[in-house]
Amino acid sequence: MDDHMEDGYRIYGDPQKIVEEIGEEIADKISKSIEEIKSTAKKEAYEAISRKALELRSRIDDSLKRYRNFVESTRSKIEVELKKISERRKEEWVNKIVAEIKERFIRGIVSDKNSYRELLKRSLESVLTSEKEIHIETNDSTAELLEEIIEELGLRERIRSINKSLNIRGGFIATSPDRSIRYNYTLEHMIDNNIYELKVRISRILFG
């Protein structure tokens, strides 16, 4: 007997075979009853009973057909639901791994002060190729490194303000003087920009 199971759903056996077995069993019982009556009853009685038996068999066949359609329809719906559950499970695993990779990446970058400082320097130089002056928003620890870089590169007059209260793990956000243009150089954003490709690679590794 085939078992199909996923979470709270369970299907025992093949519904199609079950329906066919039930139909065959009923048909056999009817045939046996007819044979018994045929051997003992008069011809007229036998013919009347035969007609009744055929009518009964026809009604049973119709009932079995409706039941078969119901079972197949229900089974298809269950299989669709199981597939949805499976896809949700896969997505949950991928998202969990992405979150872990994101956390490790940010923690690794921030803990390596030289690498982190170089990343901030390049990001700052990049945004200043597009804007003559900028506002900066970042967290308190990153602000200290940015202050050092700004002094080192002689960029003080091009930095209008530095907000140190941004709730981010690392990097910074720069805006144009009138704040109409926003440049996102946060570490979170760097990962999110490549999130789709990262998810695809993780899915292939996990699920083939």
Side-chain angles (χ1 to χ4, degrees), residues 45-108:
Y46 163 70
E47 291 176 349
I49 293 172
S50 293
R51 286 195 297 272
K52 291 293 183 181
L54 289 174
E55 292 174 4
L56 177 60
R57 181 180 297 198
S58 178
R59 288 198 296 270
I60 291 172
D61 287 343
D62 289 341
S63 297
L64 289 175
K65 184 177 180 181
R66 288 195 297 271
Y67 176 70
R68 183 185 296 113
N69 291 338
F70 170 76
V71 169
E72 288 305 315
S73 175
T74 302
R75 184 175 184 177
S76 296
K77 291 177 181 177
I78 292 175
E79 287 174 350
V80 169
E81 288 302 315
L82 293 180
K83 186 175 182 180
K84 289 180 180 178
I85 291 171
S86 176
E87 291 302 319
R88 284 199 298 270
R89 286 281 182 84
K90 287 180 181 180
E91 186 174 359
E92 287 172 4
W93 274 104
V94 170
N95 288 339
K96 182 178 180 180
I97 294 174
V98 167
E100 185 175 341
I101 291 173
K102 191 174 183 177
E103 174 64 24
R104 289 184 179 182
F105 171 79
I106 292 174
R107 191 167 58 241

Side-chain angles (χ1 to χ4, degrees), residues 137-179:
E137 298 176 61
T138 187
N139 57 28
D140 191 59
S141 58
T142 301
E144 294 181 12
L145 287 175
L146 284 171
E147 291 279 8
E148 294 176 6
I149 295 169
I150 290 167
E151 290 297 329
E152 176 188 320
L153 300 178
L155 300 172
R156 177 60 58 186
E157 59 184 26
R158 300 184 64 182
I159 309 301
R160 288 199 172 187
S161 66
I162 299 180
N163 182 340
K164 304 177 183 180
S165 61
L166 191 63
N167 184 23
I168 57 171
R169 298 291 305 281
F172 64 91
I173 291 176
T175 55
S176 58
D178 61 358
R179 299 185 188 276

Side-chain angles (χ1 to χ4, degrees), residues 30 33-38 40-56:
I30 291 173
S33 297
I34 291 174
E35 290 300 323
E36 291 175 1
I37 293 170
K38 183 179 179 181
T40 58
K42 293 182 179 180
K43 183 177 180 181
E44 292 81 5
Y46 163 70
E47 291 176 349
I49 293 172
S50 293
R51 286 195 297 272
K52 291 293 183 181
L54 289 174
E55 292 174 4
L56 177 60

Side-chain angles (χ1 to χ4, degrees), residues 183-204:
Y183 303 87
N184 194 334
Y185 288 93
T186 62
L187 297 183
E188 293 91 335
H189 185 68
M190 291 179 186
I191 296 178
D192 291 341
N193 274 345
N194 299 284
I195 204 76
Y196 177 76
E197 181 181 353
L198 183 60
K199 284 186 174 182
V200 169
R201 292 178 63 188
I202 292 172
S203 294
R204 287 175 179 169

Side-chain angles (χ1 to χ4, degrees), residues 106-120:
I106 292 174
R107 191 167 58 241
I109 289 291
V110 173
S111 63
D112 185 343
K113 186 174 180 179
N114 291 332
S115 296
Y116 186 39
R117 194 175 189 279
E118 183 64 25
L119 176 63
L120 293 173

